[in-house]
mmCIF file of all heavy atoms in Angstrom:
data_model
loop_
_atom_site.group_PDB
_atom_site.id
_atom_site.type_symbol
_atom_site.label_atom_id
_atom_site.label_comp_id
_atom_site.label_asym_id
_atom_site.label_seq_id
_atom_site.Cartn_x
_atom_site.Cartn_y
_atom_site.Cartn_z
ATOM 1 N N ARG A 32 100.239 151.020 91.553
ATOM 2 C CA ARG A 32 99.099 150.484 91.053
ATOM 3 C C ARG A 32 99.160 149.030 90.490
ATOM 4 O O ARG A 32 98.207 148.370 89.990
ATOM 5 C CB ARG A 32 98.306 151.374 90.102
ATOM 6 C CG ARG A 32 97.913 152.708 90.697
ATOM 7 C CD ARG A 32 97.043 153.524 89.787
ATOM 8 N NE ARG A 32 96.615 154.704 90.446
ATOM 9 C CZ ARG A 32 95.768 155.570 89.814
ATOM 10 N NH1 ARG A 32 95.304 155.380 88.544
ATOM 11 N NH2 ARG A 32 95.391 156.701 90.507
ATOM 12 N N ASP A 33 100.407 148.558 90.355
ATOM 13 C CA ASP A 33 100.627 147.259 89.884
ATOM 14 C C ASP A 33 100.199 146.200 90.868
ATOM 15 O O ASP A 33 100.866 145.957 91.802
ATOM 16 C CB ASP A 33 102.145 147.123 89.545
ATOM 17 C CG ASP A 33 102.474 145.788 88.731
ATOM 18 O OD1 ASP A 33 101.779 144.751 89.035
ATOM 19 O OD2 ASP A 33 103.403 145.828 87.932
ATOM 20 N N GLU A 34 99.108 145.607 90.529
ATOM 21 C CA GLU A 34 98.543 144.628 91.644
ATOM 22 C C GLU A 34 99.397 143.423 91.841
ATOM 23 O O GLU A 34 99.399 142.967 92.981
ATOM 24 C CB GLU A 34 97.129 144.161 91.142
ATOM 25 C CG GLU A 34 96.162 145.408 91.175
ATOM 26 C CD GLU A 34 94.752 145.006 90.615
ATOM 27 O OE1 GLU A 34 94.744 144.131 89.735
ATOM 28 O OE2 GLU A 34 93.701 145.526 91.022
ATOM 29 N N LEU A 35 100.028 142.911 90.723
ATOM 30 C CA LEU A 35 100.793 141.849 90.965
ATOM 31 C C LEU A 35 101.990 142.069 91.757
ATOM 32 O O LEU A 35 102.429 141.270 92.673
ATOM 33 C CB LEU A 35 101.261 141.256 89.521
ATOM 34 C CG LEU A 35 102.274 139.967 89.565
ATOM 35 C CD1 LEU A 35 101.533 138.853 90.227
ATOM 36 C CD2 LEU A 35 102.644 139.638 88.078
ATOM 37 N N LEU A 36 102.640 143.255 91.506
ATOM 38 C CA LEU A 36 103.922 143.576 92.224
ATOM 39 C C LEU A 36 103.469 143.854 93.678
ATOM 40 O O LEU A 36 104.167 143.472 94.580
ATOM 41 C CB LEU A 36 104.492 144.854 91.567
ATOM 42 C CG LEU A 36 105.753 145.401 92.264
ATOM 43 C CD1 LEU A 36 106.843 144.367 92.271
ATOM 44 C CD2 LEU A 36 106.154 146.696 91.620
ATOM 45 N N ARG A 37 102.352 144.480 93.838
ATOM 46 C CA ARG A 37 101.862 144.694 95.217
ATOM 47 C C ARG A 37 101.677 143.385 96.022
ATOM 48 O O ARG A 37 101.896 143.300 97.268
ATOM 49 C CB ARG A 37 100.615 145.571 95.245
ATOM 50 C CG ARG A 37 100.111 146.103 96.607
ATOM 51 C CD ARG A 37 99.126 147.084 96.499
ATOM 52 N NE ARG A 37 97.931 146.723 95.795
ATOM 53 C CZ ARG A 37 97.459 147.261 94.763
ATOM 54 N NH1 ARG A 37 98.150 148.215 94.084
ATOM 55 N NH2 ARG A 37 96.282 146.855 94.196
ATOM 56 N N SER A 38 101.040 142.350 95.406
ATOM 57 C CA SER A 38 100.828 141.155 95.949
ATOM 58 C C SER A 38 102.135 140.426 96.256
ATOM 59 O O SER A 38 102.207 139.795 97.314
ATOM 60 C CB SER A 38 100.050 140.242 95.011
ATOM 61 O OG SER A 38 98.766 140.741 94.649
ATOM 62 N N VAL A 39 103.065 140.637 95.425
ATOM 63 C CA VAL A 39 104.442 139.980 95.746
ATOM 64 C C VAL A 39 105.108 140.623 97.047
ATOM 65 O O VAL A 39 105.444 139.927 97.848
ATOM 66 C CB VAL A 39 105.395 140.127 94.548
ATOM 67 C CG1 VAL A 39 106.796 139.680 94.919
ATOM 68 C CG2 VAL A 39 104.930 139.235 93.282
ATOM 69 N N CYS A 40 104.934 141.907 97.141
ATOM 70 C CA CYS A 40 105.544 142.610 98.249
ATOM 71 C C CYS A 40 104.837 142.267 99.554
ATOM 72 O O CYS A 40 105.516 142.020 100.553
ATOM 73 C CB CYS A 40 105.555 144.146 97.946
ATOM 74 S SG CYS A 40 106.561 144.770 96.742
ATOM 75 N N VAL A 41 103.496 142.169 99.422
ATOM 76 C CA VAL A 41 102.761 141.776 100.617
ATOM 77 C C VAL A 41 103.030 140.373 101.029
ATOM 78 O O VAL A 41 103.244 140.078 102.240
ATOM 79 C CB VAL A 41 101.269 141.888 100.376
ATOM 80 C CG1 VAL A 41 100.403 141.216 101.494
ATOM 81 C CG2 VAL A 41 100.724 143.395 100.275
ATOM 82 N N LEU A 42 103.221 139.493 100.125
ATOM 83 C CA LEU A 42 103.591 138.090 100.347
ATOM 84 C C LEU A 42 104.927 138.025 101.030
ATOM 85 O O LEU A 42 105.123 137.258 102.030
ATOM 86 C CB LEU A 42 103.518 137.273 99.076
ATOM 87 C CG LEU A 42 103.757 135.783 99.313
ATOM 88 C CD1 LEU A 42 102.730 135.060 100.065
ATOM 89 C CD2 LEU A 42 103.988 135.074 97.937
ATOM 90 N N LEU A 43 105.933 138.850 100.446
ATOM 91 C CA LEU A 43 107.316 138.666 100.988
ATOM 92 C C LEU A 43 107.289 139.288 102.479
ATOM 93 O O LEU A 43 107.959 138.785 103.361
ATOM 94 C CB LEU A 43 108.232 139.529 100.177
ATOM 95 C CG LEU A 43 108.642 138.897 98.843
ATOM 96 C CD1 LEU A 43 109.419 139.907 98.044
ATOM 97 C CD2 LEU A 43 109.414 137.657 98.993
ATOM 98 N N ALA A 44 106.600 140.389 102.703
ATOM 99 C CA ALA A 44 106.581 140.963 104.018
ATOM 100 C C ALA A 44 105.950 140.037 105.026
ATOM 101 O O ALA A 44 106.313 139.928 106.191
ATOM 102 C CB ALA A 44 105.705 142.288 103.931
ATOM 103 N N LEU A 45 104.811 139.424 104.685
ATOM 104 C CA LEU A 45 104.136 138.372 105.506
ATOM 105 C C LEU A 45 105.037 137.205 105.737
ATOM 106 O O LEU A 45 105.120 136.690 106.931
ATOM 107 C CB LEU A 45 102.752 138.053 104.982
ATOM 108 C CG LEU A 45 101.684 139.041 105.029
ATOM 109 C CD1 LEU A 45 100.417 138.576 104.239
ATOM 110 C CD2 LEU A 45 101.333 139.328 106.485
ATOM 111 N N ALA A 46 105.666 136.760 104.826
ATOM 112 C CA ALA A 46 106.547 135.571 104.980
ATOM 113 C C ALA A 46 107.741 135.920 105.955
ATOM 114 O O ALA A 46 108.103 135.145 106.826
ATOM 115 C CB ALA A 46 107.183 135.190 103.627
ATOM 116 N N THR A 47 108.213 137.184 105.803
ATOM 117 C CA THR A 47 109.185 137.706 106.760
ATOM 118 C C THR A 47 108.690 137.630 108.223
ATOM 119 O O THR A 47 109.319 137.155 109.080
ATOM 120 C CB THR A 47 109.691 139.060 106.405
ATOM 121 O OG1 THR A 47 110.182 139.127 105.099
ATOM 122 C CG2 THR A 47 110.808 139.576 107.322
ATOM 123 N N ALA A 48 107.514 138.193 108.352
ATOM 124 C CA ALA A 48 106.855 138.273 109.698
ATOM 125 C C ALA A 48 106.600 136.884 110.187
ATOM 126 O O ALA A 48 106.828 136.675 111.477
ATOM 127 C CB ALA A 48 105.560 139.106 109.615
ATOM 128 N N VAL A 49 106.201 135.936 109.397
ATOM 129 C CA VAL A 49 105.883 134.590 109.846
ATOM 130 C C VAL A 49 107.188 133.897 110.378
ATOM 131 O O VAL A 49 107.181 133.294 111.438
ATOM 132 C CB VAL A 49 105.314 133.760 108.661
ATOM 133 C CG1 VAL A 49 105.462 132.188 109.075
ATOM 134 C CG2 VAL A 49 103.913 134.094 108.348
ATOM 135 N N PHE A 50 108.243 133.981 109.615
ATOM 136 C CA PHE A 50 109.511 133.418 110.030
ATOM 137 C C PHE A 50 110.019 134.086 111.395
ATOM 138 O O PHE A 50 110.504 133.408 112.269
ATOM 139 C CB PHE A 50 110.631 133.472 109.037
ATOM 140 C CG PHE A 50 110.481 132.343 108.000
ATOM 141 C CD1 PHE A 50 109.933 132.450 106.814
ATOM 142 C CD2 PHE A 50 111.143 131.132 108.428
ATOM 143 C CE1 PHE A 50 109.910 131.461 105.882
ATOM 144 C CE2 PHE A 50 111.028 130.028 107.459
ATOM 145 C CZ PHE A 50 110.449 130.239 106.346
ATOM 146 N N ALA A 51 109.824 135.453 111.426
ATOM 147 C CA ALA A 51 110.430 136.184 112.633
ATOM 148 C C ALA A 51 109.481 135.855 113.858
ATOM 149 O O ALA A 51 110.156 135.703 114.937
ATOM 150 C CB ALA A 51 110.372 137.659 112.376
ATOM 151 N N CYS A 52 108.188 135.696 113.699
ATOM 152 C CA CYS A 52 107.388 135.554 114.838
ATOM 153 C C CYS A 52 107.088 134.116 115.270
ATOM 154 O O CYS A 52 106.538 133.970 116.477
ATOM 155 C CB CYS A 52 106.043 136.107 114.501
ATOM 156 S SG CYS A 52 106.135 138.032 114.364
ATOM 157 N N THR A 53 107.523 133.184 114.482
ATOM 158 C CA THR A 53 107.340 131.792 114.899
ATOM 159 C C THR A 53 108.562 131.211 115.622
ATOM 160 O O THR A 53 108.504 130.079 116.053
ATOM 161 C CB THR A 53 106.984 130.873 113.735
ATOM 162 O OG1 THR A 53 107.873 131.098 112.584
ATOM 163 C CG2 THR A 53 105.568 131.235 113.255
ATOM 164 N N ALA A 54 109.626 131.976 115.674
ATOM 165 C CA ALA A 54 110.864 131.484 116.330
ATOM 166 C C ALA A 54 110.584 131.590 117.853
ATOM 167 O O ALA A 54 109.902 132.372 118.337
ATOM 168 C CB ALA A 54 112.050 132.374 116.028
#
Side-chain angles (χ1 to χ4, degrees):
R32 296 188 176 182
D33 189 327
E34 293 175 328
L35 178 59
L36 181 58
R37 188 164 63 241
S38 299
V39 170
C40 290
V41 170
L42 181 68
L43 288 173
L45 286 172
T47 302
V49 166
F50 274 100
C52 293
T53 51

